[in-house]
Amino acid sequence: MRSLKRLLNFINGWIMSGNDNRRDSIENFLAAARRLQIDVITMNDLQVSMTDIWTKSQTVRETGTPTGLQQLSYYAEIVPPFELTSIGDYLHQVIRDKRIKVQELAQYGFSKTKVYRMYDDDASFRVNDLLTLMPHLGLMPGDLDAVVPQFNDATYRVKYNLQFVAETFIPTAVAQAKMRYDETGHLGFLEQWLELRMIIGSRLDGRWYASEEAKSLGQQAQRLLQSMDTWHDSEFRILKLAWMAVDSVAGVHMMVNMTHANDVDNILQRTYANRVVEGVEYAIFKAMFEGNQELLDALLQVAFEEQKRDDKALKYASWRWRFLMYENYRTYFTNPEEAVGHLVDFFADYDELVGEFEITDKYKTLFNAMWREHLAKK
């Protein structure tokens, strides 16, 4: 939907400005959409063709026919606005959706008055409050990544989203999470600490996935998950880290079985996710840097087997894109130059379709590290 809205903005600028140089931008956008297989968007029973929108838009500009304008307005209206407007609004929805009683939060130092004030007054909302509440609300740092960038106020990205704050703050958050775990023994703080360590490691060093730190954190995450009878949403936040402890084909199948056993539908999961396809990603990077083709092949195999097991695996564009990326990883050992080149092209198309986002920086850092690794072996 973000891509559709971006296309409509391009077209609107072209119609309003009369500048034909914008036509090339639109054509490049549509070419990227075809390569990434989203030129036709399906929403329930409705199909929207981006090419059809562009064709109708050219008719609008050339003839000014009212029917064409009405059609373009219709397409614009099906792009839904994001419902949440602030971090307080997000907190309110989480508490409501998870059926948490406000008075239950008093034991953590949050009176009913304070919670309601946090709903309505962002000035009273502090990062420390957020970090304290997250384990008790079943939230992990990564959960904010899907929400905060959507807010109109860009200050949220710096104030609350740990993926986007300065590197100088994250070590403080890591230390706080570890201190709270040591003080309380609450596993939510341990999970928070593990995910924060994963965030800062993968963010700063493209080769982190093959580091001793990554291996150690992966083993801790795996042991933690194995010790639990039931996984909840916060446990799945560190599943990707736990997969990094895998170093054999047998370990791959053990993790698949463990993931399937715990991956049950629940009311807290608002969007589709395939836990195996998502979980293997960092382990794939690790295998590539370690030169372990057997492990890489096994990880990719179980990911692609999910297409047969899960009828929704190819339904959504973001997951089809992930499979396109994984397909390129297949040739990394046989033709690394081609593999890295295709991955760079993939993210160029991604940026074209959704705009440049910080989420792609991690992959660009990774691919640069892969390229340097390849050159060092030549």
Side-chain angles (χ1 to χ4, degrees):
M1 297 305 292
R2 185 191 299 274
S3 299
L4 181 56
K5 187 171 184 178
R6 185 170 165 82
L7 173 63
L8 292 172
N9 287 336
F10 282 156
I11 291 175
N12 185 61
W14 174 73
I15 291 176
M16 299 297 291
S17 69
N19 184 352
D20 275 335
N21 290 332
R22 293 175 180 256
R23 180 188 292 270
D24 291 339
S25 297
I26 296 171
E27 294 290 355
N28 290 336
F29 180 96
L30 292 173
R34 286 189 287 272
R35 285 191 293 269
L36 267 59
Q37 304 173 13
I38 63 162
D39 50 314
V40 176
I41 299 175
T42 302
M43 296 169 285
N44 296 324
D45 296 327
L46 175 66
Q47 278 197 334
V48 178
S49 166
M50 292 188 177
T51 302
D52 185 47
I53 293 175
W54 175 224
T55 301
K56 285 182 168 64
S57 301
Q58 293 176 84
T59 303
V60 168
R61 180 173 166 185
E62 292 169 3
T63 66
T65 54
T67 54
L69 288 169
Q70 291 170 0
Q71 187 70 41
L72 189 59
S73 298
Y74 166 73
Y75 285 130
E77 288 170 2
I78 67 174
V79 181
F82 196 78
E83 295 179 357
L84 303 176
T85 59
S86 70
I87 196 70
D89 192 17
Y90 175 53
L91 175 67
H92 191 181
Q93 181 158 322
V94 168
I95 290 176
R96 182 175 62 245
D97 289 348
K98 296 193 175 188
R99 299 184 175 91
I100 296 171
K101 295 180 180 179
V102 173
Q103 53 265 37
E104 294 175 8
L105 301 177
Q107 60 185 308
Y108 310 119
F110 294 87
S111 66
K112 185 175 181 179
T113 301
K114 181 174 182 177
V115 172
Y116 282 127
R117 186 168 64 247
M118 291 165 68
Y119 288 166
D120 301 325
D121 180 14
D122 286 336
S124 67
F125 208 131
R126 298 288 182 267
V127 171
N128 282 349
D129 291 333
L130 187 62
L131 292 174
T132 300
L133 274 176
M134 284 167 67
H136 310 299
L137 299 179
L139 293 175
M140 295 293 283
D143 291 314
L144 302 183
D145 297 341
V147 176
V148 178
Q150 309 289 345
F151 298 145
N152 291 329
D153 187 349
T155 60
Y156 283 117
R157 295 155 68 86
V158 175
K159 191 174 180 183
Y160 301 116
N161 195 337
L162 295 176
Q163 282 279 17
F164 300 129
V165 299
E167 282 82 0
T168 53
F169 173 76
I170 294 184
T172 301
V174 171
Q176 289 175 345
K178 186 65 165 62
M179 179 182 67
R180 290 195 176 105
Y181 172 66
D182 291 339
E183 291 174 347
T184 67
H186 194 298
L187 291 180
F189 289 121
L190 176 59
E191 291 168 337
Q192 189 180 97
W193 176 76
L194 286 168
E195 190 183 13
L196 285 167
R197 291 282 298 275
M198 178 175 66
I199 287 173
I200 195 170
S202 60
R203 180 177 172 182
L204 299 180
D205 181 4
R207 295 196 80 262
W208 174 83
Y209 307 95
S211 68
E212 287 300 316
E213 180 194 42
K215 182 178 180 180
S216 174
L217 292 174
Q219 291 170 343
Q220 291 181 66
Q222 190 180 84
R223 286 195 298 269
L224 177 60
L225 294 181
Q226 287 173 329
S227 70
M228 295 181 170
D229 294 329
T230 303
W231 295 356
H232 300 95
D233 48 340
S234 57
E235 278 72 60
F236 285 111
R237 302 304 312 185
I238 60 170
L239 179 60
K240 190 179 290 190
L241 185 59
W243 269 92
M244 294 183 68
V246 172
D247 56 10
S248 67
V249 174
V252 170
H253 294 297
M254 181 272 291
M255 281 297 297
V256 169
N257 293 335
M258 189 165 69
T259 303
H260 284 165
N262 287 279
D263 187 14
V264 294
D265 291 334
N266 63 69
I267 61 171
L268 305 181
Q269 187 173 318
R270 288 176 152 257
T271 58
Y272 166 79
N274 185 294
R275 304 299 187 179
V276 171
V277 176
E278 181 181 30
V280 299
E281 184 178 37
Y282 286 5
I284 287 173
F285 300 155
K286 170 192 168 186
M288 293 165 78
F289 280 117
E290 290 181 345
N292 191 336
Q293 184 167 359
E294 182 183 37
L295 180 59
L296 174 64
D297 291 343
L299 290 165
L300 291 173
Q301 181 180 349
V302 297
F304 280 98
E305 284 175 353
E306 291 297 300
Q307 293 182 5
K308 302 174 184 176
R309 177 182 174 274
D310 184 350
D311 59 1
K312 294 182 180 179
L314 294 174
K315 181 178 180 180
Y316 302 103
S318 59
W319 292 89
R320 292 199 301 272
W321 290 354
R322 193 178 292 262
F323 282 116
L324 287 174
M325 289 174 59
Y326 286 4
E327 190 65 46
N328 286 318
Y329 298 150
R330 288 184 188 274
T331 61
Y332 179 72
F333 288 113
T334 56
N335 194 338
E337 294 182 9
E338 179 182 274
V340 174
H342 285 166
L343 290 166
V344 171
D345 289 342
F346 173 89
F347 275 99
D349 285 342
Y350 186 97
D351 285 343
E352 178 71 39
L353 292 173
V354 303
E356 292 193 17
F357 279 86
E358 288 87 343
I359 191 173
T360 65
D361 291 343
K362 176 180 68 177
Y363 290 99
K364 292 171 184 175
T365 300
L366 169 68
F367 301 148
N368 285 335
M370 286 180 180
W371 187 247
R372 291 194 299 271
E373 186 88 358
H374 166 63
L375 292 178
K377 294 177 180 178
K378 293 185 73 172

